[in-house]
Amino acid sequence: MNKFFDFDKTLEVLQYAFVRDALLAAAILGLLAGILGPLIVSRNMAFSVHGTSELAVTGGAAALLMGIGVGYGALAGSIVAALVLGLLSRRSTETDSVIGVVLAFGLGLGVLFLWMYPGRASNKFGLLVGQIVSVDFASILLLSVCAVVVLGVLAVIYRPLMFASVDPDVARARGVPTGALSPIFAVLVGVATALGVQTVGALLVLSLMVTPAAAACRITANPLRATILSVVFAEVSVLGGIILSLAPGVPVSAFVTAISFLIYLGARLFAKVRVSAH
């Protein structure tokens, strides 16, 4: 147990440049996930995020096989996945089945690509559970550029997107282009999800993209407050997860998921106590 909470070891490892790079990348990712999260929750897109993250693995595995940057491959895979899911699931009743079909096919391809890759097994494992040593200047640059683009597009479409998320029927009647907003937002989520694969890993990226926002939405229904809380929760989860993982050398995702889950439980307890008090 002392190995898990060796503060001297943690302080020592924090001196390494790659750890500071990972923390910077995680802070950017936490901001992105925290802002997108409440919209993902309100639009019931948690399963879509899971499907997109698994298909980001397919893109990352293909990139490994071709000898190019994993981040670029994961990004391409997630964007393609978002577009395919958006085009095939026109009706809300068929969304889950379409995600399941595409997810199964894409994941099968990903397994094949990983099997064909002749390199180190750690590279394959890192796609699934995250690997902070893979974060370098190029990764931070890609993350920063993508974050600026995603937040810029979101700023333009935020008001109609929020309207369409809260009451899609009324928004459609008022002339809001809900049909165009859905695939655009899906691509934004796909980009953010792909960026989270390298840090948190594809298997547990939900802990960053969905759990902090779900906790925030338990505490408040106000969109602005929920977004602020979601960002705070996401930052605490991802930065705290990285710092706690340093001494034992455990995959980052183990601590990120634990912290975000505890925050969610705390939010549910807070909401229950508040209701009881009234």
Side-chain angles (χ1 to χ4, degrees):
M1 184 61 68
N2 290 336
K3 185 180 178 183
F4 276 83
F5 302 102
D6 188 339
F7 296 108
D8 292 334
K9 179 68 172 178
T10 299
L11 291 174
E12 178 187 339
V13 178
L14 280 171
Q15 305 305 312
Y16 295 124
F18 79 88
V19 175
R20 294 195 295 270
D21 289 344
L23 289 172
L24 176 59
I28 298 172
L29 183 60
L31 175 65
L32 203 55
I35 291 175
L36 290 173
L39 288 167
I40 293 172
V41 171
S42 66
R43 296 175 70 86
N44 297 314
M45 290 180 63
F47 188 37
S48 178
V49 170
H50 176 62
T52 305
S53 68
E54 301 294 347
L55 292 169
V57 170
T58 304
L64 276 176
L65 199 57
M66 292 185 289
I68 60 178
V70 173
Y72 296 102
L75 190 59
S78 64
I79 291 176
V80 170
L83 290 173
V84 169
L85 293 176
L87 291 173
L88 292 181
S89 56
R90 293 289 186 178
R91 293 177 298 181
S92 59
T93 54
E94 62 181 13
T95 299
D96 284 352
S97 59
V98 168
I99 293 172
V101 169
V102 175
L103 168 61
F105 173 69
L107 199 53
L109 281 180
V111 170
L112 176 63
F113 293 155
L114 288 175
W115 176 79
M116 294 171 64
Y117 176 63
R120 294 182 303 167
S122 61
N123 289 332
K124 305 176 185 181
F125 190 61
L127 280 174
L128 300 177
V129 299
Q131 194 174 35
I132 62 171
V133 295
S134 65
V135 178
D136 53 15
F137 176 76
S139 300
I140 294 176
L141 181 61
L142 174 64
L143 179 59
S144 301
V145 171
C146 289
V148 169
V149 172
V150 169
L151 294 178
V153 173
L154 187 63
V156 173
I157 67 171
Y158 184 81
R159 288 179 66 86
L161 182 65
M162 176 59 72
F163 187 14
S165 301
V166 173
D167 198 333
D169 293 330
V170 174
R172 197 176 298 111
R174 292 285 185 88
V176 175
T178 55
L181 289 174
S182 292
I184 292 174
F185 183 65
V187 170
L188 297 183
V189 171
V191 171
T193 302
L195 298 174
V197 166
Q198 276 190 291
T199 304
V200 185
L203 294 180
L204 300 172
V205 74
L206 277 174
S207 65
L208 195 57
M209 296 297 297
V210 175
T211 309
C217 291
R218 281 279 173 179
I219 294 175
T220 179
N222 182 283
L224 178 59
R225 292 175 187 166
T227 301
I228 293 172
L229 283 175
S230 178
V231 170
V232 172
F233 293 160
E235 295 287 6
V236 170
S237 297
V238 70
L239 294 176
I242 289 178
I243 292 172
L244 289 177
S245 72
L246 295 177
V250 175
V252 173
S253 53
F255 285 103
V256 174
T257 53
I259 294 172
S260 60
F261 183 64
L262 289 174
I263 290 173
Y264 178 73
L265 289 180
R268 287 186 66 98
L269 180 61
F270 174 83
K272 186 175 181 178
V273 170
R274 184 175 58 182
V275 171
S276 300
H278 290 294

